[in-house]
Amino acid sequence: VQARLSRDIFVETAFALADDEGLESLTIRRMAESHGVTPMALYRYFADKDRILDALAEALLAEVALPEPDERRWDEQAKELLTALAAALRRHPNAAILVLNRILQSEPGLALIDRTLMLLKAAGFPTDAAAETAGYALSSVVTLVVTEPGRAISGDVETHAAVLRVKKATLSSLDPRRYSHVVAAAAPLTRCASTEAYYDRGIHMIMSGIRDSQTFVKRRARRPSKAASTKAVAKPRRSRTTRLR
Amino acid sequence: VQARLSRDIFVETAFALADDEGLESLTIRRMAESHGVTPMALYRYFADKDRILDALAEALLAEVALPEPDERRWDEQAKELLTALAAALRRHPNAAILVLNRILQSEPGLALIDRTLMLLKAAGFPTDAAAETAGYALSSVVTLVVTEPGRAISGDVETHAAVLRVKKATLSSLDPRRYSHVVAAAAPLTRCASTEAYYDRGIHMIMSGIRDSQTFVKRRARRPSKAASTKAVAKPRRSRTTRLR
DNA sequence: ACCTGAACACCGTTCAAGT
DNA sequence: ACCTGAACACCGTTCAAGT
């Protein structure tokens, strides 16, 4: 008998569930139900639920339109790559977070990071710095999508609009003596005026960070004892309890 | 009868579970068990499980040693603030991701973003840009902690070391003709040579992005038609199925 | 005010069996 | 090769009751 089901079909179903109701609603039983099939039918295609989530991350990364290397400056090409990643993730924003710790676990993710490393090497980064910076750049794009102000979690438009209204009203009604800047920024904190401007700015910021990361290496190499910035990070672990309310 | 239990005690227990075994092991039943109590006992202190996770995010943010505003440059103060946030999150790296979408939902989170907005206003950011940039900056610090290469998920040291060895070996044994840069960077991709250098570099990159975000606004205002970078993001949603394997 | 006990709906997963 | 059926361990949560 020819199989009516397949990995790809289940991946589509999983995306649909995540898009409509969020990742918490993405269960094996509901995926089976939407195909009129027993939960156990999925185990023919995925070893366990984690492998389903891996497949979603891989599918998202496979959707990245990876631009071919050309003769332009490395940073132009890197910016195009990050933009392509953002575009792919934005198709399934509720699932995007799955990519955060799975880039090294699939073929398309490896292709993405290999290309990023190539561009950073061309920029003159040593291997260690390139690895850290590449990871940072790709993760930052994921974060941009996951934390987009006003992003819809529920697929229902009316519910989403109501949630946003409440969020904004909550921020607006805070004590202006304590949170004056939050009150003033209630609107832009809860939804983007322009999502395109948001992503343009975000990717611009990531690229600026990458470019400047080079000068960071050089400065540290010249002044290795200038380690004032590590002070707070390295401070001793104190008891946390006294601060809790 | 005086209560033997409390919100703070349960928050401590929740952190211990997350630190030792990861967020998936953080269940109401296991929290109850570790206090020799019925699962229902927790509902006297938390309305539901989501409120427990909210309390963890709030406790993490309450631990941030928010520096008082002073007369130094805005970017020095902002850098100190981001460093303090990273230090707080690093105490419970498995729980850090809970903060990602909860900054606006607690008093300490609001204090943090209010201070960030204040510094950005002092830097000359208009309100909209300050809101987007502040959200980006704080989220990026969370991402830095969550994606730290070689971060331990399990509390068991031997298990962790074994996992890292396998990860590195997997990357090293990839086809060098397809993933030459990944193979060359297998070691730094799987663990930090120096975690302090990693956070220094990461926060340095975030700060560079913030500083440059100002010039981004000005450039856009002067050349509003230069919108080539929005092209890929705005491209039409196509069927994804053909690309999947 | 604080905690228990029993029950329910829903979850991932094992094992054995059907066609 | 592909799917079913029954069962199990574990989960969050409701409701009612105890002290």
Short mmCIF file of all heavy atoms in Angstrom, two decimals, chain A residues 67-90:
data_model
loop_
_atom_site.label_atom_id
_atom_site.label_comp_id
_atom_site.label_asym_id
_atom_site.label_seq_id
_atom_site.Cartn_x
_atom_site.Cartn_y
_atom_site.Cartn_z
N PRO A 67 21.89 33.23 -0.68
CA PRO A 67 22.44 33.85 -1.88
C PRO A 67 23.80 33.28 -2.23
O PRO A 67 24.58 32.93 -1.33
CB PRO A 67 22.53 35.34 -1.50
CG PRO A 67 22.49 35.39 -0.01
CD PRO A 67 21.86 34.12 0.48
N GLU A 68 24.08 33.15 -3.51
CA GLU A 68 25.39 32.64 -3.94
C GLU A 68 26.48 33.67 -3.65
O GLU A 68 26.23 34.88 -3.78
CB GLU A 68 25.37 32.32 -5.44
CG GLU A 68 24.66 31.03 -5.78
CD GLU A 68 25.23 29.84 -5.02
OE1 GLU A 68 26.47 29.63 -5.06
OE2 GLU A 68 24.44 29.12 -4.36
N PRO A 69 27.69 33.23 -3.27
CA PRO A 69 28.79 34.18 -3.05
C PRO A 69 29.12 34.92 -4.34
O PRO A 69 29.05 34.33 -5.42
CB PRO A 69 29.97 33.27 -2.65
CG PRO A 69 29.36 31.98 -2.25
CD PRO A 69 28.08 31.84 -3.01
N ASP A 70 29.43 36.20 -4.24
CA ASP A 70 29.80 36.96 -5.43
C ASP A 70 30.95 37.91 -5.09
O ASP A 70 31.63 37.73 -4.09
CB ASP A 70 28.59 37.71 -5.99
CG ASP A 70 27.91 38.57 -4.93
OD1 ASP A 70 28.61 39.15 -4.08
OD2 ASP A 70 26.66 38.66 -4.95
N GLU A 71 31.12 38.91 -5.90
CA GLU A 71 32.30 39.78 -5.76
C GLU A 71 32.04 41.02 -4.91
O GLU A 71 32.90 41.88 -4.79
CB GLU A 71 32.82 40.19 -7.14
CG GLU A 71 33.36 39.02 -7.95
CD GLU A 71 34.44 38.25 -7.18
OE1 GLU A 71 35.33 38.91 -6.60
OE2 GLU A 71 34.38 37.01 -7.13
N ARG A 72 30.85 41.14 -4.35
CA ARG A 72 30.56 42.32 -3.53
C ARG A 72 31.29 42.24 -2.19
O ARG A 72 31.85 41.21 -1.83
CB ARG A 72 29.06 42.42 -3.28
CG ARG A 72 28.27 42.82 -4.53
CD ARG A 72 26.79 42.75 -4.23
NE ARG A 72 26.41 41.40 -3.85
CZ ARG A 72 25.33 41.11 -3.13
NH1 ARG A 72 24.50 42.06 -2.73
NH2 ARG A 72 25.04 39.85 -2.83
N ARG A 73 31.26 43.35 -1.46
CA ARG A 73 31.90 43.36 -0.14
C ARG A 73 31.26 42.30 0.75
O ARG A 73 30.06 42.00 0.65
CB ARG A 73 31.72 44.74 0.50
CG ARG A 73 32.67 45.79 -0.04
CD ARG A 73 32.45 47.11 0.66
NE ARG A 73 32.30 46.99 2.11
CZ ARG A 73 32.28 48.02 2.94
NH1 ARG A 73 32.38 49.25 2.46
NH2 ARG A 73 32.12 47.85 4.22
N TRP A 74 32.04 41.78 1.71
CA TRP A 74 31.55 40.71 2.59
C TRP A 74 30.32 41.17 3.38
O TRP A 74 29.39 40.39 3.61
CB TRP A 74 32.66 40.27 3.55
CG TRP A 74 33.00 41.28 4.60
CD1 TRP A 74 33.90 42.29 4.51
CD2 TRP A 74 32.40 41.39 5.88
NE1 TRP A 74 33.91 43.03 5.66
CE2 TRP A 74 33.01 42.51 6.53
CE3 TRP A 74 31.42 40.67 6.58
CZ2 TRP A 74 32.65 42.91 7.82
CZ3 TRP A 74 31.07 41.06 7.86
CH2 TRP A 74 31.68 42.18 8.47
N ASP A 75 30.30 42.44 3.80
CA ASP A 75 29.21 42.86 4.67
C ASP A 75 27.90 43.04 3.89
O ASP A 75 26.82 42.82 4.43
CB ASP A 75 29.57 44.12 5.46
CG ASP A 75 30.06 45.25 4.59
OD1 ASP A 75 30.35 45.00 3.39
OD2 ASP A 75 30.15 46.38 5.08
N GLU A 76 28.01 43.39 2.63
CA GLU A 76 26.78 43.43 1.81
C GLU A 76 26.17 42.04 1.69
O GLU A 76 24.96 41.85 1.80
CB GLU A 76 27.11 43.95 0.40
CG GLU A 76 27.18 45.46 0.30
CD GLU A 76 27.29 45.89 -1.17
OE1 GLU A 76 26.34 45.61 -1.93
OE2 GLU A 76 28.32 46.48 -1.54
N GLN A 77 27.03 41.06 1.46
CA GLN A 77 26.56 39.69 1.30
C GLN A 77 26.01 39.14 2.61
O GLN A 77 25.01 38.42 2.64
CB GLN A 77 27.69 38.80 0.78
CG GLN A 77 28.22 39.23 -0.58
CD GLN A 77 29.24 38.24 -1.13
OE1 GLN A 77 28.94 37.07 -1.33
NE2 GLN A 77 30.46 38.72 -1.37
N ALA A 78 26.67 39.50 3.71
CA ALA A 78 26.20 39.04 5.01
C ALA A 78 24.82 39.64 5.32
O ALA A 78 23.93 38.96 5.83
CB ALA A 78 27.20 39.42 6.09
N LYS A 79 24.65 40.90 5.00
CA LYS A 79 23.37 41.55 5.25
C LYS A 79 22.26 40.87 4.45
O LYS A 79 21.16 40.64 4.96
CB LYS A 79 23.45 43.02 4.87
CG LYS A 79 22.19 43.80 5.18
CD LYS A 79 22.41 45.29 4.98
CE LYS A 79 21.19 46.06 5.46
NZ LYS A 79 21.45 47.51 5.48
N GLU A 80 22.57 40.52 3.21
CA GLU A 80 21.59 39.84 2.37
C GLU A 80 21.23 38.48 2.97
O GLU A 80 20.05 38.07 2.99
CB GLU A 80 22.19 39.65 0.97
CG GLU A 80 21.16 39.28 -0.09
CD GLU A 80 21.80 39.26 -1.47
OE1 GLU A 80 22.45 40.26 -1.81
OE2 GLU A 80 21.65 38.25 -2.17
N LEU A 81 22.24 37.79 3.51
CA LEU A 81 22.01 36.48 4.12
C LEU A 81 21.11 36.61 5.35
O LEU A 81 20.15 35.84 5.52
CB LEU A 81 23.36 35.86 4.49
CG LEU A 81 23.38 34.45 5.04
CD1 LEU A 81 24.68 33.77 4.63
CD2 LEU A 81 23.27 34.44 6.55
N LEU A 82 21.38 37.58 6.21
CA LEU A 82 20.57 37.75 7.42
C LEU A 82 19.14 38.15 7.04
O LEU A 82 18.18 37.70 7.68
CB LEU A 82 21.19 38.83 8.32
CG LEU A 82 22.58 38.53 8.88
CD1 LEU A 82 23.01 39.62 9.86
CD2 LEU A 82 22.62 37.16 9.55
N THR A 83 19.01 38.95 6.01
CA THR A 83 17.67 39.35 5.56
C THR A 83 16.89 38.13 5.04
O THR A 83 15.69 37.99 5.31
CB THR A 83 17.79 40.42 4.46
OG1 THR A 83 18.58 41.51 4.95
CG2 THR A 83 16.42 40.93 4.06
N ALA A 84 17.59 37.27 4.33
CA ALA A 84 16.94 36.06 3.81
C ALA A 84 16.51 35.15 4.96
O ALA A 84 15.43 34.55 4.93
CB ALA A 84 17.88 35.31 2.88
N LEU A 85 17.34 35.06 6.00
CA LEU A 85 16.98 34.25 7.17
C LEU A 85 15.74 34.82 7.85
O LEU A 85 14.80 34.09 8.19
CB LEU A 85 18.16 34.21 8.15
CG LEU A 85 17.90 33.53 9.50
CD1 LEU A 85 17.48 32.07 9.31
CD2 LEU A 85 19.14 33.61 10.40
N ALA A 86 15.72 36.12 8.03
CA ALA A 86 14.56 36.75 8.67
C ALA A 86 13.29 36.49 7.87
O ALA A 86 12.23 36.16 8.43
CB ALA A 86 14.80 38.25 8.82
N ALA A 87 13.40 36.59 6.54
CA ALA A 87 12.23 36.37 5.69
C ALA A 87 11.69 34.96 5.87
O ALA A 87 10.47 34.75 5.95
CB ALA A 87 12.60 36.62 4.24
N ALA A 88 12.58 33.98 5.96
CA ALA A 88 12.14 32.59 6.12
C ALA A 88 11.48 32.38 7.47
O ALA A 88 10.41 31.77 7.57
CB ALA A 88 13.34 31.65 5.96
N LEU A 89 12.08 32.91 8.52
CA LEU A 89 11.54 32.70 9.87
C LEU A 89 10.19 33.39 10.04
O LEU A 89 9.32 32.90 10.78
CB LEU A 89 12.53 33.23 10.91
CG LEU A 89 13.89 32.54 10.96
CD1 LEU A 89 14.79 33.22 11.99
CD2 LEU A 89 13.73 31.06 11.30
N ARG A 90 10.02 34.52 9.36
CA ARG A 90 8.79 35.29 9.54
C ARG A 90 7.55 34.59 8.99
O ARG A 90 6.43 34.96 9.30
CB ARG A 90 8.95 36.67 8.88
CG ARG A 90 9.90 37.56 9.63
CD ARG A 90 10.13 38.85 8.90
NE ARG A 90 8.92 39.65 8.82
CZ ARG A 90 8.80 40.76 8.12
NH1 ARG A 90 9.83 41.19 7.41
NH2 ARG A 90 7.68 41.42 8.12
#
